[in-house]
Amino acid sequence: MTWVVILLVALAVFAIMAFVLKMPRSGWELAGAALFVGIAGYALQGHPSMPGAPKAPVENKRAADEALIKQRQQMGDAFAQGQSWLVLADGLARQGQFGAAAEVLRKGAEQFPKDADIWVSMGNALVGHSDGLITPSAQFAFQKAATIAPDHPGPPFFMGLALAQSGRLAEARTIWSELLERSPADAPYRADLSDRIQRIDSMLAMTAGSPTAGGPVPMTGPAPAVPENSPE
């Protein structure tokens, strides 16, 4: 009976991914294989008759910031086309599997090369894969997104964030200042962006003349509230 339930759940999950989330047919084989690998692993190691021994969850410090994922979704609501690829990649990023997320997004970019959100998300995944530091490949992804959708606030925002985390504060401030200048007065991310610029100004003032200036710095912070109609 247990196996019947497991198979039904697996089929239901696959159906939701394929028909509700509109996962591309090219991804069906990969998704199906992942589900069956999970079932096979449970068959080898699972012991449903054993008593439970719950433990406190171990936090993955490298997992993606949920607030930043929501902020990217909010910024890119009008730009995303390959939503199913983004959903899968976000799930991997939440588990700290940034390399796998970047690979999923690479395949998504092959199908939707003009989807700016896929490129933004790929840049974020590559930054996460390099422990928060911007790399040439991540910078290329952000610039590609900006070229595809010049009005999209996501590319400059997240490229600035990656630059700031890498210690390149002056470059981050320049990009964010330009974004702030062209952002609508009612843009939901303006207050957060302005706050981040002020924090950079404070850091630049504090590190002026310091021999340690230029090292990686934390740039985390609460993202603005996401409207109820934003994608989850």
Side-chain angles (χ1 to χ4, degrees):
M1 185 62 183
T2 301
W3 287 108
V4 174
V5 174
I6 291 173
L7 291 174
L8 288 176
V9 170
L11 289 173
V13 170
F14 183 83
I16 291 173
M17 294 173 65
F19 302 110
V20 178
L21 298 179
K22 307 295 184 182
M23 180 174 60
R25 286 185 175 272
S26 58
W28 285 18
E29 183 177 347
L30 177 63
L35 288 171
F36 279 109
V37 167
I39 293 174
Y42 180 79
L44 293 173
Q45 302 181 18
H47 300 283
S49 60
M50 290 183 64
K55 297 181 179 180
V58 178
E59 180 180 359
N60 184 352
K61 295 183 179 179
R62 294 187 64 249
D65 188 329
E66 181 68 23
L68 291 179
I69 289 178
K70 288 186 176 181
Q71 187 152 328
R72 193 216 71 231
Q73 293 172 339
Q74 178 186 26
M75 288 181 170
D77 188 22
F79 298 89
Q81 294 174 314
Q83 190 65 31
S84 58
W85 293 104
L86 292 169
V87 170
L88 181 56
D90 285 346
L92 291 169
R94 288 186 179 97
Q95 301 174 38
Q97 300 181 36
F98 296 107
E103 178 61 20
V104 165
L105 292 162
R106 183 188 67 78
K107 295 179 180 178
E110 292 177 355
Q111 183 176 12
F112 298 103
K114 298 298 183 181
D115 187 333
D117 250 12
I118 282 182
W119 288 101
V120 171
S121 187
M122 187 188 301
N124 288 340
L126 291 169
V127 169
H129 188 56
S130 61
D131 293 324
L133 300 179
I134 192 167
T135 61
S137 56
Q139 189 163 342
F140 171 82
F142 291 132
Q143 291 172 340
K144 179 75 172 180
T147 301
I148 294 170
D151 296 331
H152 193 335
F157 178 85
F158 287 102
M159 183 170 177
L161 182 63
L163 288 169
Q165 291 174 165
S166 301
R168 296 160 63 177
L169 298 180
E171 295 175 68
R173 191 195 189 286
T174 298
I175 291 176
W176 278 348
S177 296
E178 293 174 355
L179 174 59
L180 187 64
E181 288 178 3
R182 66 179 175 86
S183 297
D186 60 347
Y189 54 84
R190 274 189 68 94
D192 176 66
L193 182 61
S194 179
D195 179 66
R196 290 178 186 274
I197 293 174
Q198 290 177 13
R199 275 189 279 168
I200 280 188
D201 287 341
S202 298
M203 292 178 191
L204 289 174
M206 291 173 61
T207 58
S210 171
T212 59
V217 295
M219 284 299 297
T220 57
V226 182
E228 293 181 358
N229 60 352
S230 67
E232 289 294 331

